[in-house]
Short mmCIF file of all heavy atoms in Angstrom, two decimals:
data_model
loop_
_atom_site.label_atom_id
_atom_site.label_comp_id
_atom_site.label_asym_id
_atom_site.label_seq_id
_atom_site.Cartn_x
_atom_site.Cartn_y
_atom_site.Cartn_z
N ARG Y 472 79.28 179.18 148.28
CA ARG Y 472 77.91 179.65 148.45
C ARG Y 472 77.72 180.28 149.82
O ARG Y 472 77.07 181.33 149.96
CB ARG Y 472 76.94 178.47 148.27
CG ARG Y 472 75.47 178.88 148.31
CD ARG Y 472 74.58 177.74 147.82
NE ARG Y 472 74.60 176.59 148.71
CZ ARG Y 472 73.74 176.43 149.73
NH1 ARG Y 472 72.84 177.37 149.98
NH2 ARG Y 472 73.80 175.35 150.46
N ALA Y 473 78.30 179.67 150.86
CA ALA Y 473 78.16 180.21 152.22
C ALA Y 473 78.91 181.53 152.36
O ALA Y 473 78.42 182.50 152.98
CB ALA Y 473 78.66 179.19 153.24
N SER Y 474 80.12 181.58 151.80
CA SER Y 474 80.94 182.79 151.96
C SER Y 474 80.38 183.99 151.21
O SER Y 474 80.72 185.13 151.52
CB SER Y 474 82.37 182.51 151.50
OG SER Y 474 82.40 182.24 150.11
N SER Y 475 79.52 183.72 150.22
CA SER Y 475 78.94 184.83 149.45
C SER Y 475 77.86 185.57 150.22
O SER Y 475 77.42 186.64 149.80
CB SER Y 475 78.36 184.30 148.13
OG SER Y 475 77.25 183.44 148.38
N GLN Y 476 77.39 185.00 151.33
CA GLN Y 476 76.37 185.65 152.14
C GLN Y 476 77.02 186.67 153.08
O GLN Y 476 77.92 186.32 153.87
CB GLN Y 476 75.57 184.60 152.94
CG GLN Y 476 74.84 183.60 152.08
CD GLN Y 476 74.01 182.62 152.90
OE1 GLN Y 476 73.63 182.93 154.04
NE2 GLN Y 476 73.74 181.45 152.33
N GLU Y 477 76.59 187.93 153.00
CA GLU Y 477 77.23 189.01 153.75
C GLU Y 477 77.14 188.82 155.26
O GLU Y 477 78.00 189.28 156.01
CB GLU Y 477 76.58 190.35 153.36
CG GLU Y 477 76.86 190.75 151.93
CD GLU Y 477 76.28 192.12 151.61
OE1 GLU Y 477 75.68 192.73 152.53
OE2 GLU Y 477 76.41 192.57 150.46
N SER Y 478 76.09 188.11 155.72
CA SER Y 478 75.91 187.95 157.17
C SER Y 478 76.89 186.96 157.78
O SER Y 478 77.05 186.90 158.99
CB SER Y 478 74.48 187.51 157.47
OG SER Y 478 74.20 186.28 156.81
N ILE Y 479 77.53 186.15 156.96
CA ILE Y 479 78.41 185.09 157.46
C ILE Y 479 79.85 185.59 157.51
O ILE Y 479 80.39 186.10 156.53
CB ILE Y 479 78.32 183.83 156.57
CG1 ILE Y 479 76.91 183.22 156.68
CG2 ILE Y 479 79.37 182.81 156.96
CD1 ILE Y 479 76.70 182.01 155.80
N GLY Y 480 80.48 185.44 158.70
CA GLY Y 480 81.86 185.86 158.86
C GLY Y 480 82.81 184.72 159.14
O GLY Y 480 84.03 184.86 159.01
N ARG Y 481 82.27 183.54 159.55
CA ARG Y 481 83.14 182.41 159.86
C ARG Y 481 82.45 181.11 159.40
O ARG Y 481 81.26 180.91 159.67
CB ARG Y 481 83.44 182.35 161.37
CG ARG Y 481 84.41 181.23 161.75
CD ARG Y 481 84.67 181.24 163.25
NE ARG Y 481 85.65 180.22 163.62
CZ ARG Y 481 86.97 180.40 163.57
NH1 ARG Y 481 87.47 181.57 163.19
NH2 ARG Y 481 87.79 179.43 163.92
N ILE Y 482 83.21 180.24 158.75
CA ILE Y 482 82.68 178.96 158.25
C ILE Y 482 83.55 177.84 158.80
O ILE Y 482 84.77 177.83 158.59
CB ILE Y 482 82.68 178.91 156.71
CG1 ILE Y 482 81.86 180.08 156.14
CG2 ILE Y 482 82.14 177.58 156.21
CD1 ILE Y 482 82.00 180.22 154.62
N SER Y 483 82.91 176.92 159.52
CA SER Y 483 83.62 175.75 160.05
C SER Y 483 83.11 174.52 159.31
O SER Y 483 81.90 174.28 159.25
CB SER Y 483 83.38 175.60 161.55
OG SER Y 483 83.87 176.72 162.24
N VAL Y 484 84.04 173.74 158.74
CA VAL Y 484 83.67 172.58 157.93
C VAL Y 484 84.27 171.32 158.55
O VAL Y 484 85.49 171.23 158.75
CB VAL Y 484 84.18 172.72 156.48
CG1 VAL Y 484 83.70 171.54 155.63
CG2 VAL Y 484 83.70 174.04 155.87
N GLU Y 485 83.41 170.35 158.86
CA GLU Y 485 83.85 169.07 159.42
C GLU Y 485 83.76 168.01 158.32
O GLU Y 485 82.72 167.82 157.71
CB GLU Y 485 82.95 168.69 160.60
CG GLU Y 485 83.32 167.38 161.26
CD GLU Y 485 82.37 167.03 162.40
OE1 GLU Y 485 82.56 167.58 163.50
OE2 GLU Y 485 81.44 166.24 162.16
N LEU Y 486 84.90 167.32 158.07
CA LEU Y 486 84.92 166.34 156.98
C LEU Y 486 85.95 165.25 157.23
O LEU Y 486 86.71 165.29 158.20
CB LEU Y 486 85.19 167.05 155.64
CG LEU Y 486 86.08 168.28 155.59
CD1 LEU Y 486 87.49 167.97 155.98
CD2 LEU Y 486 86.04 168.92 154.21
N ASN Y 487 85.94 164.26 156.36
CA ASN Y 487 86.86 163.14 156.45
C ASN Y 487 88.30 163.60 156.20
O ASN Y 487 88.54 164.50 155.40
CB ASN Y 487 86.45 162.07 155.43
CG ASN Y 487 87.32 160.82 155.51
OD1 ASN Y 487 88.38 160.76 154.90
ND2 ASN Y 487 86.87 159.83 156.27
N HIS Y 488 89.26 162.97 156.86
CA HIS Y 488 90.65 163.43 156.79
C HIS Y 488 91.21 163.37 155.38
O HIS Y 488 92.05 164.19 154.99
CB HIS Y 488 91.52 162.59 157.74
CG HIS Y 488 91.75 161.19 157.27
ND1 HIS Y 488 92.91 160.80 156.61
CD2 HIS Y 488 90.97 160.08 157.34
CE1 HIS Y 488 92.82 159.52 156.31
NE2 HIS Y 488 91.67 159.06 156.75
N ARG Y 489 90.73 162.40 154.55
CA ARG Y 489 91.23 162.30 153.18
C ARG Y 489 90.81 163.53 152.37
O ARG Y 489 91.59 164.06 151.56
CB ARG Y 489 90.69 161.02 152.51
CG ARG Y 489 91.26 159.75 153.11
CD ARG Y 489 90.56 158.50 152.61
NE ARG Y 489 90.66 158.37 151.15
CZ ARG Y 489 89.63 158.46 150.32
NH1 ARG Y 489 88.42 158.72 150.80
NH2 ARG Y 489 89.79 158.30 149.03
N VAL Y 490 89.58 163.98 152.59
CA VAL Y 490 89.09 165.16 151.87
C VAL Y 490 89.81 166.40 152.36
O VAL Y 490 90.20 167.28 151.57
CB VAL Y 490 87.56 165.30 152.06
CG1 VAL Y 490 87.03 166.50 151.28
CG2 VAL Y 490 86.85 164.03 151.63
N ALA Y 491 90.02 166.49 153.68
CA ALA Y 491 90.73 167.64 154.23
C ALA Y 491 92.15 167.73 153.69
O ALA Y 491 92.65 168.83 153.38
CB ALA Y 491 90.74 167.55 155.76
N THR Y 492 92.81 166.59 153.57
CA THR Y 492 94.17 166.56 153.03
C THR Y 492 94.18 167.03 151.57
O THR Y 492 95.07 167.80 151.16
CB THR Y 492 94.75 165.13 153.12
OG1 THR Y 492 94.76 164.72 154.49
CG2 THR Y 492 96.17 165.08 152.57
N TYR Y 493 93.20 166.57 150.80
CA TYR Y 493 93.12 166.99 149.40
C TYR Y 493 92.93 168.51 149.30
O TYR Y 493 93.59 169.18 148.49
CB TYR Y 493 91.96 166.26 148.71
CG TYR Y 493 91.83 166.58 147.23
CD1 TYR Y 493 92.44 165.77 146.28
CD2 TYR Y 493 91.13 167.69 146.80
CE1 TYR Y 493 92.34 166.07 144.92
CE2 TYR Y 493 91.01 168.01 145.45
CZ TYR Y 493 91.62 167.19 144.52
OH TYR Y 493 91.54 167.50 143.18
N LEU Y 494 92.02 169.05 150.10
CA LEU Y 494 91.76 170.50 150.07
C LEU Y 494 93.01 171.30 150.47
O LEU Y 494 93.32 172.34 149.87
CB LEU Y 494 90.60 170.84 151.01
CG LEU Y 494 89.21 170.40 150.54
CD1 LEU Y 494 88.22 170.48 151.69
CD2 LEU Y 494 88.74 171.25 149.37
N ALA Y 495 93.73 170.80 151.48
CA ALA Y 495 94.92 171.51 151.94
C ALA Y 495 96.01 171.52 150.88
O ALA Y 495 96.76 172.51 150.74
CB ALA Y 495 95.44 170.88 153.23
N ASN Y 496 96.11 170.44 150.12
CA ASN Y 496 97.17 170.32 149.12
C ASN Y 496 96.80 170.92 147.77
O ASN Y 496 97.66 171.48 147.07
CB ASN Y 496 97.54 168.85 148.91
CG ASN Y 496 98.19 168.25 150.14
OD1 ASN Y 496 98.80 168.97 150.94
ND2 ASN Y 496 98.08 166.93 150.30
N LYS Y 497 95.53 170.83 147.39
CA LYS Y 497 95.12 171.21 146.03
C LYS Y 497 94.33 172.52 145.97
O LYS Y 497 94.27 173.17 144.91
CB LYS Y 497 94.25 170.09 145.42
CG LYS Y 497 94.92 168.73 145.37
CD LYS Y 497 96.01 168.65 144.31
CE LYS Y 497 96.55 167.23 144.20
NZ LYS Y 497 97.58 167.13 143.13
N LYS Y 498 93.69 172.91 147.05
CA LYS Y 498 92.78 174.06 147.01
C LYS Y 498 93.20 175.19 147.95
O LYS Y 498 92.40 176.11 148.20
CB LYS Y 498 91.36 173.61 147.36
CG LYS Y 498 90.76 172.58 146.40
CD LYS Y 498 90.46 173.20 145.05
CE LYS Y 498 89.79 172.21 144.11
NZ LYS Y 498 89.48 172.83 142.80
N ARG Y 499 94.43 175.14 148.46
CA ARG Y 499 94.85 176.14 149.44
C ARG Y 499 94.79 177.57 148.87
O ARG Y 499 94.27 178.49 149.49
CB ARG Y 499 96.28 175.84 149.90
CG ARG Y 499 96.80 176.81 150.96
CD ARG Y 499 98.26 176.54 151.26
NE ARG Y 499 98.45 175.22 151.82
CZ ARG Y 499 98.35 174.94 153.13
NH1 ARG Y 499 98.06 175.90 153.97
NH2 ARG Y 499 98.55 173.72 153.56
N LYS Y 500 95.28 177.73 147.63
CA LYS Y 500 95.31 179.06 147.02
C LYS Y 500 93.90 179.60 146.82
O LYS Y 500 93.62 180.77 147.13
CB LYS Y 500 96.04 178.98 145.68
CG LYS Y 500 96.20 180.32 145.00
CD LYS Y 500 96.96 180.19 143.69
CE LYS Y 500 97.07 181.54 142.99
NZ LYS Y 500 97.79 181.43 141.69
N GLU Y 501 92.99 178.76 146.31
CA GLU Y 501 91.61 179.19 146.07
C GLU Y 501 90.93 179.59 147.37
O GLU Y 501 90.17 180.57 147.43
CB GLU Y 501 90.81 178.08 145.38
CG GLU Y 501 91.25 177.79 143.96
CD GLU Y 501 90.44 176.66 143.34
OE1 GLU Y 501 89.21 176.65 143.51
OE2 GLU Y 501 91.06 175.80 142.70
N LEU Y 502 91.19 178.83 148.44
CA LEU Y 502 90.57 179.10 149.73
C LEU Y 502 91.07 180.44 150.30
O LEU Y 502 90.28 181.22 150.87
CB LEU Y 502 90.85 177.96 150.71
CG LEU Y 502 90.09 176.66 150.43
CD1 LEU Y 502 90.69 175.51 151.22
CD2 LEU Y 502 88.61 176.82 150.77
N LEU Y 503 92.37 180.70 150.17
CA LEU Y 503 92.91 181.97 150.65
C LEU Y 503 92.30 183.15 149.90
O LEU Y 503 91.97 184.19 150.51
CB LEU Y 503 94.44 181.97 150.52
CG LEU Y 503 95.19 181.03 151.47
CD1 LEU Y 503 96.67 181.00 151.12
CD2 LEU Y 503 95.00 181.47 152.93
N GLU Y 504 92.17 183.01 148.59
CA GLU Y 504 91.56 184.06 147.77
C GLU Y 504 90.11 184.28 148.18
O GLU Y 504 89.62 185.42 148.22
CB GLU Y 504 91.66 183.71 146.29
CG GLU Y 504 93.08 183.74 145.74
CD GLU Y 504 93.14 183.30 144.29
OE1 GLU Y 504 92.10 182.81 143.78
OE2 GLU Y 504 94.22 183.40 143.69
N LEU Y 505 89.41 183.17 148.47
CA LEU Y 505 88.00 183.25 148.86
C LEU Y 505 87.86 183.99 150.18
O LEU Y 505 86.96 184.84 150.36
CB LEU Y 505 87.43 181.84 148.96
CG LEU Y 505 85.90 181.69 149.02
CD1 LEU Y 505 85.25 182.22 147.74
CD2 LEU Y 505 85.54 180.20 149.20
N GLU Y 506 88.73 183.68 151.14
CA GLU Y 506 88.70 184.36 152.45
C GLU Y 506 88.96 185.85 152.29
O GLU Y 506 88.29 186.69 152.92
CB GLU Y 506 89.74 183.73 153.38
CG GLU Y 506 89.37 182.36 153.91
CD GLU Y 506 90.43 181.81 154.86
OE1 GLU Y 506 91.63 181.96 154.55
OE2 GLU Y 506 90.05 181.25 155.90
N ASP Y 507 89.95 186.18 151.45
CA ASP Y 507 90.32 187.59 151.29
C ASP Y 507 89.24 188.37 150.55
O ASP Y 507 88.92 189.51 150.92
CB ASP Y 507 91.64 187.66 150.51
CG ASP Y 507 92.17 189.08 150.42
OD1 ASP Y 507 92.36 189.71 151.49
OD2 ASP Y 507 92.37 189.57 149.29
N ARG Y 508 88.63 187.76 149.54
CA ARG Y 508 87.64 188.46 148.72
C ARG Y 508 86.35 188.70 149.49
O ARG Y 508 85.73 189.77 149.39
CB ARG Y 508 87.35 187.65 147.46
CG ARG Y 508 86.39 188.36 146.49
CD ARG Y 508 86.32 187.65 145.15
NE ARG Y 508 85.79 186.30 145.25
CZ ARG Y 508 86.50 185.19 145.05
NH1 ARG Y 508 87.80 185.28 144.76
NH2 ARG Y 508 85.95 184.00 145.16
N ASN Y 509 85.88 187.67 150.27
CA ASN Y 509 84.58 187.77 150.94
C ASN Y 509 84.70 188.11 152.42
O ASN Y 509 83.68 188.15 153.13
CB ASN Y 509 83.81 186.45 150.79
CG ASN Y 509 83.40 186.18 149.35
OD1 ASN Y 509 83.21 187.12 148.57
ND2 ASN Y 509 83.27 184.92 149.00
N LYS Y 510 85.92 188.37 152.88
CA LYS Y 510 86.15 188.76 154.28
C LYS Y 510 85.55 187.74 155.27
O LYS Y 510 84.80 188.08 156.19
CB LYS Y 510 85.54 190.15 154.56
CG LYS Y 510 85.97 191.23 153.60
CD LYS Y 510 87.48 191.42 153.57
CE LYS Y 510 87.86 192.54 152.58
NZ LYS Y 510 89.34 192.64 152.42
N VAL Y 511 85.87 186.46 155.04
CA VAL Y 511 85.40 185.40 155.93
C VAL Y 511 86.60 184.57 156.38
O VAL Y 511 87.68 184.61 155.77
CB VAL Y 511 84.37 184.47 155.24
CG1 VAL Y 511 83.11 185.21 154.87
CG2 VAL Y 511 84.98 183.78 154.03
N VAL Y 512 86.40 183.83 157.48
CA VAL Y 512 87.41 182.89 157.97
C VAL Y 512 86.88 181.48 157.73
O VAL Y 512 85.77 181.14 158.15
CB VAL Y 512 87.69 183.10 159.47
CG1 VAL Y 512 88.67 182.06 159.97
CG2 VAL Y 512 88.20 184.50 159.72
N ILE Y 513 87.66 180.66 157.01
CA ILE Y 513 87.25 179.28 156.69
C ILE Y 513 88.15 178.32 157.44
O ILE Y 513 89.38 178.37 157.30
CB ILE Y 513 87.33 179.01 155.17
CG1 ILE Y 513 86.45 180.02 154.41
CG2 ILE Y 513 86.90 177.59 154.86
CD1 ILE Y 513 86.61 179.94 152.90
N ASN Y 514 87.54 177.47 158.25
CA ASN Y 514 88.30 176.53 159.08
C ASN Y 514 87.84 175.10 158.79
O ASN Y 514 86.63 174.82 158.77
CB ASN Y 514 88.10 176.85 160.56
CG ASN Y 514 88.88 175.90 161.45
OD1 ASN Y 514 90.06 175.69 161.24
ND2 ASN Y 514 88.19 175.33 162.43
N PHE Y 515 88.80 174.19 158.55
CA PHE Y 515 88.48 172.79 158.29
C PHE Y 515 88.84 171.93 159.48
O PHE Y 515 89.94 172.07 160.04
CB PHE Y 515 89.23 172.28 157.05
CG PHE Y 515 88.74 172.86 155.76
CD1 PHE Y 515 89.47 173.83 155.09
CD2 PHE Y 515 87.53 172.45 155.22
CE1 PHE Y 515 89.01 174.37 153.90
CE2 PHE Y 515 87.06 172.98 154.04
CZ PHE Y 515 87.80 173.95 153.38
N GLU Y 516 87.90 171.05 159.88
CA GLU Y 516 88.15 170.11 160.98
C GLU Y 516 88.25 168.70 160.38
O GLU Y 516 87.26 168.13 159.91
CB GLU Y 516 87.01 170.17 162.00
CG GLU Y 516 87.24 169.24 163.18
CD GLU Y 516 86.08 169.27 164.18
OE1 GLU Y 516 85.27 170.23 164.13
OE2 GLU Y 516 85.97 168.32 164.98
N SER Y 517 89.44 168.16 160.39
CA SER Y 517 89.70 166.84 159.81
C SER Y 517 89.42 165.74 160.83
O SER Y 517 89.91 165.81 161.97
CB SER Y 517 91.15 166.76 159.34
OG SER Y 517 91.46 165.46 158.90
N ARG Y 518 88.64 164.73 160.42
CA ARG Y 518 88.30 163.63 161.34
C ARG Y 518 88.54 162.28 160.69
O ARG Y 518 88.30 162.10 159.50
CB ARG Y 518 86.83 163.75 161.79
CG ARG Y 518 86.55 164.97 162.65
CD ARG Y 518 85.13 164.97 163.18
NE ARG Y 518 84.83 163.76 163.94
CZ ARG Y 518 83.66 163.54 164.55
NH1 ARG Y 518 82.71 164.47 164.48
NH2 ARG Y 518 83.46 162.42 165.20
N TYR Y 519 89.01 161.35 161.51
CA TYR Y 519 89.26 159.99 161.02
C TYR Y 519 88.07 159.06 161.27
O TYR Y 519 87.98 157.99 160.69
CB TYR Y 519 90.49 159.40 161.72
CG TYR Y 519 91.81 159.94 161.21
CD1 TYR Y 519 92.31 161.15 161.68
CD2 TYR Y 519 92.55 159.24 160.28
CE1 TYR Y 519 93.51 161.67 161.22
CE2 TYR Y 519 93.76 159.73 159.81
CZ TYR Y 519 94.24 160.94 160.28
OH TYR Y 519 95.43 161.43 159.81
N ASP Y 520 87.15 159.46 162.17
CA ASP Y 520 86.07 158.56 162.61
C ASP Y 520 84.75 158.84 161.91
O ASP Y 520 83.68 158.51 162.44
CB ASP Y 520 85.88 158.68 164.12
CG ASP Y 520 85.52 160.11 164.57
OD1 ASP Y 520 85.75 161.04 163.76
OD2 ASP Y 520 85.03 160.26 165.69
N VAL Y 521 84.79 159.47 160.72
CA VAL Y 521 83.56 159.70 159.98
C VAL Y 521 83.68 159.04 158.61
O VAL Y 521 84.79 158.73 158.15
CB VAL Y 521 83.28 161.22 159.79
CG1 VAL Y 521 83.01 161.87 161.14
CG2 VAL Y 521 84.43 161.91 159.07
N ASN Y 522 82.52 158.82 157.94
CA ASN Y 522 82.58 158.15 156.64
C ASN Y 522 83.18 159.05 155.57
O ASN Y 522 83.23 160.28 155.74
CB ASN Y 522 81.20 157.60 156.26
CG ASN Y 522 80.25 158.68 155.78
OD1 ASN Y 522 80.52 159.40 154.83
ND2 ASN Y 522 79.10 158.79 156.45
N PRO Y 523 83.64 158.50 154.47
CA PRO Y 523 84.37 159.28 153.45
C PRO Y 523 83.57 160.43 152.85
O PRO Y 523 84.15 161.39 152.35
CB PRO Y 523 84.70 158.24 152.38
CG PRO Y 523 84.72 156.94 153.10
CD PRO Y 523 83.66 157.06 154.15
N ASN Y 524 82.24 160.36 152.89
CA ASN Y 524 81.42 161.41 152.29
C ASN Y 524 80.85 162.39 153.32
O ASN Y 524 79.99 163.20 153.01
CB ASN Y 524 80.25 160.79 151.51
CG ASN Y 524 80.73 160.00 150.30
OD1 ASN Y 524 81.89 160.06 149.93
ND2 ASN Y 524 79.83 159.25 149.69
N HIS Y 525 81.33 162.29 154.53
CA HIS Y 525 80.77 163.11 155.62
C HIS Y 525 81.05 164.60 155.39
O HIS Y 525 82.15 164.99 154.99
CB HIS Y 525 81.37 162.69 156.95
CG HIS Y 525 80.90 163.52 158.11
ND1 HIS Y 525 79.67 163.35 158.70
CD2 HIS Y 525 81.49 164.56 158.78
CE1 HIS Y 525 79.52 164.21 159.69
NE2 HIS Y 525 80.62 164.96 159.75
N LEU Y 526 80.05 165.43 155.64
CA LEU Y 526 80.21 166.88 155.55
C LEU Y 526 79.24 167.57 156.50
O LEU Y 526 78.04 167.30 156.48
CB LEU Y 526 79.94 167.39 154.12
CG LEU Y 526 79.92 168.92 153.95
CD1 LEU Y 526 81.28 169.51 154.31
CD2 LEU Y 526 79.51 169.30 152.54
N GLU Y 527 79.79 168.42 157.35
CA GLU Y 527 78.96 169.23 158.25
C GLU Y 527 79.50 170.66 158.23
O GLU Y 527 80.70 170.89 158.45
CB GLU Y 527 79.00 168.67 159.67
CG GLU Y 527 78.08 169.40 160.63
CD GLU Y 527 78.08 168.80 162.02
OE1 GLU Y 527 78.09 167.54 162.11
OE2 GLU Y 527 78.10 169.57 163.00
#
Side-chain angles (χ1 to χ4, degrees):
R472 185 167 67 90
S474 65
S475 66
Q476 298 183 24
E477 293 183 1
S478 59
I479 294 178
R481 183 180 183 85
I482 303 171
S483 299
V484 183
E485 181 182 279
L486 33 64
N487 183 274
H488 72 98
R489 292 170 60 247
V490 182
T492 301
Y493 183 94
L494 288 166
N496 293 334
K497 303 287 186 178
K498 298 290 183 179
R499 182 186 297 273
K500 183 179 178 181
E501 293 179 43
L502 287 166
L503 290 173
E504 291 176 351
L505 195 62
E506 286 182 317
D507 186 56
R508 184 170 63 249
N509 293 332
K510 308 302 180 186
V511 296
V512 176
I513 302 172
N514 180 50
F515 290 105
E516 182 182 343
S517 174
R518 293 186 57 177
Y519 284 83
D520 60 342
V521 295
N522 76 58
N524 295 349
H525 177 78
L526 173 62
E527 185 177 319

